[in-house]
Amino acid sequence: MAKPISIGPLNFKLKKDALKFIREIRDSYRDSEIVSAAHASFLTDLLELHPEAVEKVSVGIRYFTVELDTEFRRNRHFVVHRIDGTHSDFSFPTCLERANPRKDTLTALRQAVKNSVLNFRSSAFARGQVRCPFLDCVLDAHSCHVDHVPPLTFLKLVGDWLDVTQQNLEDVRITLPRDNQLVATMIDPQQEAAWIDFHDSHAELRITSKLGNLSHAKKR
């Protein structure tokens, strides 16, 4: 049964309602714009729910900004700037969720093959116009999705690699949370290299629109 969520004095019936409210705040600001005092008060309350809240706040909060991760998924996120001049990113979904080791490990595995995905995307667009295989619309390199073609979905590839190497997901070593680390990463170079080699040898990638990937690809 869904439980209500309280963030400071605000109460939300469902987690999705809280997420919608937070995203509306985030999307009301330009990249690197300082968040207003009213919204900063709310974000302070939100940050208190983060599992690394003490480390994130550290010596004290000066202000918040919204920043863009330009490397991979182009996600926009909040950054807390401390009174000593240091800063740290924080994930607002993490503030509303319990620790999820499985999700963190899968994220680290995705991060390990990021360059393979980006290189595939770059090569595809270098050859000319790219169209969505589901909606037949022209795609833009910055807004498209790179998808693993079924039946070798990303999760299937992970499972096959673990079977071949006789490992469990818990055996994948990843970084602990730290400042300005948007996602966990693999920390064993040999393990990471073995995973990248397996992924690149078996994965079949395709480029789709966001709507095509989320609405159509998963139905096939």
Side-chain angles (χ1 to χ4, degrees):
M1 182 178 178
K3 295 182 179 180
I5 291 177
S6 295
I7 304 173
L10 299 183
N11 299 306
F12 300 90
K13 186 176 181 180
L14 300 172
K15 184 174 73 173
K16 68 176 183 179
D17 298 328
L19 289 171
K20 180 175 182 293
F21 182 81
I22 297 167
R23 290 190 181 104
E24 287 175 349
I25 293 177
R26 179 198 63 188
D27 295 342
S28 68
Y29 291 93
R30 299 185 302 273
D31 295 340
S32 301
E33 183 177 2
I34 295 177
V35 171
S36 72
H39 285 157
S41 177
F42 170 79
L43 292 177
T44 299
D45 291 333
L46 175 66
L47 185 53
E48 287 182 2
L49 303 178
H50 196 283
E52 284 89 45
V54 173
E55 293 80 6
K56 296 290 183 182
V57 173
S58 186
V59 296
I61 299 170
R62 185 180 178 192
Y63 60 89
F64 294 90
T65 59
V66 174
E67 304 292 345
L68 173 67
D69 168 25
T70 58
E71 262 193 59
F72 189 28
R73 296 183 178 275
R74 299 185 66 81
N75 289 330
R76 302 180 76 235
H77 56 276
F78 293 108
V79 171
V80 54
H81 297 258
R82 307 184 184 102
I83 58 177
D84 64 355
T86 61
H87 64 275
S88 177
D89 67 289
F90 71 97
S91 166
F92 59 84
T94 299
C95 295
L96 306 182
E97 298 174 358
R98 294 182 177 179
N100 190 333
R102 180 179 183 276
K103 180 180 178 181
D104 289 343
T105 302
L106 290 173
T107 297
L109 289 165
R110 284 189 183 276
Q111 186 72 3
V113 297
K114 177 184 71 174
N115 287 336
S116 300
V117 172
L118 293 178
N119 289 337
F120 174 82
R121 185 185 68 183
S122 296
S123 296
F125 280 93
R127 292 192 295 270
Q129 188 183 85
V130 180
R131 306 185 73 89
C132 176
F134 301 107
L135 304 180
D136 196 34
C137 57
V138 177
L139 299 177
D140 175 81
H142 298 298
S143 59
C144 67
H145 279 200
V146 179
D147 181 39
H148 289 77
V149 179
L152 290 180
T153 62
F154 180 78
L155 289 179
K156 180 66 166 60
L157 285 168
V158 171
D160 289 350
W161 175 65
L162 292 174
D163 288 343
V164 168
T165 55
Q166 298 184 327
Q167 299 179 94
N168 295 313
L169 194 61
E170 295 77 14
D171 296 322
V172 178
R173 299 176 59 202
I174 64 173
T175 54
L176 296 173
R178 62 177 184 267
D179 275 359
N180 301 308
Q181 174 183 266
L182 295 178
V183 295
T185 57
M186 299 178 71
I187 59 177
D188 184 326
Q190 291 184 329
Q191 188 179 52
E192 182 179 42
W195 159 239
I196 294 172
D197 182 65
F198 183 89
H199 173 274
D200 293 354
S201 298
H202 295 81
E204 180 183 355
L205 302 176
R206 64 184 172 192
I207 298 179
T208 76
S209 64
K210 179 178 179 179
L211 179 61
N213 186 28
L214 299 179
S215 302
H216 294 74
K218 308 312 178 190
K219 296 179 181 178
R220 298 190 178 189

